[in-house]
Amino acid sequence: MSSTLEMAIIGSGPAGCYLAQSIQRMLPEANLTIIDRLPVPFGLIRYGVAADHQHTKAITRQFDRLFVAPNVRFAGNIEVGTDVSVAELRAAFDTVVFATGLYADNSIHLPGEELAGVYGSGTITRLLNSHPAERSELPTLGEDVVIVGGGNVAIDLLRFLVKTGADYQGSDIAEHALASYLESPAARVTLLNRSQITNAKSDPQMLAELAKLEAGNYQIFGLSETIALEEQAGTLDRQATARLAALRALQSREAAPGASVRLRFGATPVRLVGDQRVSAIEFEQDGKLEQIEASSVLIATGFSAGNDPLATYVATPSQTGRIEMGLYRTGWAKRGPRGAIPENRACAKAVAEEIVADLAESTGPIGRGGFESLPEDVRTNSISYEQWHLLDAHERAQAGPDRVRRKILDTAEMLRIARRETQ
């Protein structure tokens, strides 16, 4: 047994990569194995960030430098709980960290949620990002689309619904899904946000981005009254001031082609109406019940562990990263579905400090077998970072002139390309 720490990090998205960076700085001699169930790294960045937000996806460039370090290994195509158990990982590594995120769409627990035509935001976002586990065809959304939610993911969906094909230059959007939607785009889009305008969850810059698009006509219910009241009270913080300015710019836009968009703040959904398929949504606003038509409803109210086989370890938010000595969690697996990508950096640093402090107090030996002590079939079937680069180069080469890449939709094809196998 050596004296070099062997650490396994489950999840290669921003939470896992930030943790690896922090451990590298604090324990530069440690060997890190970053495991992912998919053959590709970067998790949320690749499959959760909106396809037209390439400035956010560019964070993978700094993680590239992480993975080429001699003591860092990417081990893709390994599903913990299926290909290898948590017990096997704990036997092979001194420290195991869950950085798996939360992928299941939250339920809104309303009558009618089970109707056809109701979709979770995660499902739609992953589909637009060509996730291999999602359906390949974008469902028909119809003319009257309602979004329930008011955070950044809800605004991502709204942006997709109002954009034109020309707006996706330089993106990596799933071409088949975009083409399907643009054949029959929504005519009317309504966003129902439980929060009031001043304490809505979306970032003001996300709203300001909408005003820069050529398409979309906006009506924001209660905006004038909110501005008058808040300016009179003088109690707005910087975020609320910026949000009001962005909404004012949206509403004052000149008439434009494209969808008619209604933003309703302080609107609480009550039930989804329909016979087998959703046809309307009922909501309460200002003490009154209202109903609007809905050919489809997109639910963007957060995420949970869902049926994840690892939910035992990540379902309940915690103030500490430690589950027990030698077993930790970071990112949304630790604190729940709160905060965007930058918050994961601070979370990772705090968890790394916990790990280092625990190691300093531990009297037991370190230096287990690490990746090389995992079962042979697990090691043989895994995908290395070098193999990912082959797939990465292939996707970039297959992209059209106005796209950054064309993602492979099928896991088997990903593996074939990464392994240089012929058909």
Side-chain angles (χ1 to χ4, degrees):
M1 182 178 290
S2 74
S3 59
T4 302
L5 179 75
E6 296 285 347
M7 178 182 293
I9 300 171
I10 307 169
S12 66
C17 288
Y18 280 136
L19 180 76
Q21 286 181 329
S22 292
I23 292 293
Q24 264 196 321
R25 287 190 288 269
M26 298 177 193
L27 301 171
E29 301 301 319
N31 290 325
L32 309 179
T33 299
I34 304 177
I35 298 169
D36 204 289
R37 63 188 177 92
L38 293 175
V40 295
F42 307 134
L44 172 71
I45 304 169
R46 179 176 167 94
Y47 290 119
V49 172
D52 58 338
H53 273 190
Q54 291 299 311
H55 57 285
T56 302
K57 289 177 181 271
I59 195 175
T60 58
R61 294 171 191 161
Q62 68 166 275
F63 296 151
D64 271 323
R65 296 192 291 273
L66 166 72
F67 282 109
V68 298
N71 61 331
V72 177
R73 178 194 300 269
F74 173 69
N77 197 42
I78 298 176
E79 184 162 8
V80 177
T82 301
D83 300 320
V84 63
S85 68
V86 174
E88 287 176 302
L89 287 181
R90 298 199 70 183
F93 293 89
D94 300 298
T95 303
V96 175
V97 185
F98 292 97
T100 49
L102 300 170
Y103 70 89
D105 288 294
N106 268 346
S107 168
I108 52 174
H109 303 293
L110 293 181
E113 188 176 1
E114 75 288 348
L115 291 169
V118 180
Y119 307 100
S121 61
T123 295
I124 300 298
T125 300
R126 288 190 295 271
L127 192 154
L128 296 175
N129 268 309
S130 303
H131 194 293
E134 288 298 339
R135 58 192 287 178
S136 58
E137 298 298 325
L138 185 73
T140 300
L141 300 179
E143 291 192 332
D144 292 281
V145 182
V146 176
I147 302 170
V148 176
N152 288 345
V153 174
I155 304 304
D156 282 340
L157 293 175
L158 172 57
R159 197 172 62 253
F160 167 70
L161 294 171
V162 301
K163 271 193 166 187
T164 66
D167 291 321
Y168 284 94
Q169 183 150 355
S171 78
D172 61 352
I173 195 165
E175 294 290 352
H176 60 288
L178 177 62
S180 173
Y181 175 70
L182 292 178
E183 285 180 3
S184 183
R188 292 163 292 278
V189 180
T190 302
L191 186 144
L192 299 180
N193 189 343
R194 295 174 189 263
S195 300
Q196 298 294 336
I197 290 176
T198 52
N199 61 357
K201 300 297 188 292
S202 56
D203 293 333
Q205 57 265 35
M206 296 281 285
L207 297 169
E209 186 177 345
L210 293 171
K212 298 175 183 177
L213 302 178
E214 292 186 7
N217 296 284
Y218 293 83
Q219 180 182 7
I220 298 133
F221 288 76
L223 179 62
S224 299
E225 294 85 344
T226 300
I227 290 174
L229 287 173
E230 295 298 339
E231 287 183 344
Q232 181 179 3
T235 57
L236 291 181
D237 60 19
R238 183 181 301 177
Q239 281 280 96
T241 299
R243 184 175 298 108
L244 282 174
L247 291 172
R248 180 184 277 167
L250 267 181
Q251 184 154 280
S252 63
R253 280 163 47 101
E254 295 182 1
S260 172
V261 181
R262 295 169 290 185
L263 304 182
R264 306 193 69 143
F265 295 87
T268 302
V270 175
R271 67 186 179 106
L272 284 69
V273 181
D275 181 12
Q276 296 188 326
R277 183 178 178 87
V278 68
S279 60
I281 184 168
E282 187 173 270
F283 62 97
E284 181 182 354
Q285 187 165 32
D286 298 328
K288 296 183 294 185
L289 283 179
E290 297 186 50
Q291 190 174 112
I292 54 173
E293 291 185 17
S295 53
S296 60
V297 175
L298 309 183
I299 308 297
T301 56
F303 301 91
S304 67
N307 296 321
D308 191 327
L310 303 178
T312 302
Y313 302 99
V314 304
T316 306
S318 173
Q319 294 297 314
T320 175
R322 186 193 307 111
I323 299 172
E324 58 185 73
M325 293 295 285
L327 192 64
Y328 301 83
R329 52 183 175 167
T330 188
W332 280 12
K334 169 182 177 269
R335 66 184 192 275
R338 295 183 295 103
I341 289 176
E343 281 85 345
N344 283 312
R345 182 188 290 112
C347 183
K349 181 176 181 292
V351 174
E353 289 170 347
E354 278 189 79
I355 293 171
V356 171
D358 285 350
L359 289 169
E361 293 181 6
S362 174
T363 57
I366 61 170
R368 302 190 185 193
F371 178 81
E372 297 301 334
S373 66
L374 292 176
E376 182 180 358
D377 63 326
V378 174
R379 289 182 282 117
T380 300
N381 290 328
S382 70
I383 295 297
S384 69
Y385 203 67
E386 291 75 16
Q387 289 173 312
W388 146 247
H389 271 303
L390 295 175
L391 177 57
D392 178 42
H394 177 88
E395 289 184 340
R396 291 182 182 278
Q398 295 299 308
D402 59 348
R403 298 289 186 266
V404 294
R405 71 170 66 241
R406 182 181 69 81
K407 292 177 188 165
I408 303 301
L409 286 166
D410 181 66
T411 300
E413 186 180 358
M414 287 185 194
L415 294 172
R416 180 184 62 78
I417 295 168
R419 292 169 176 161
R420 294 183 185 268
E421 295 173 349
T422 57
Q423 290 181 317

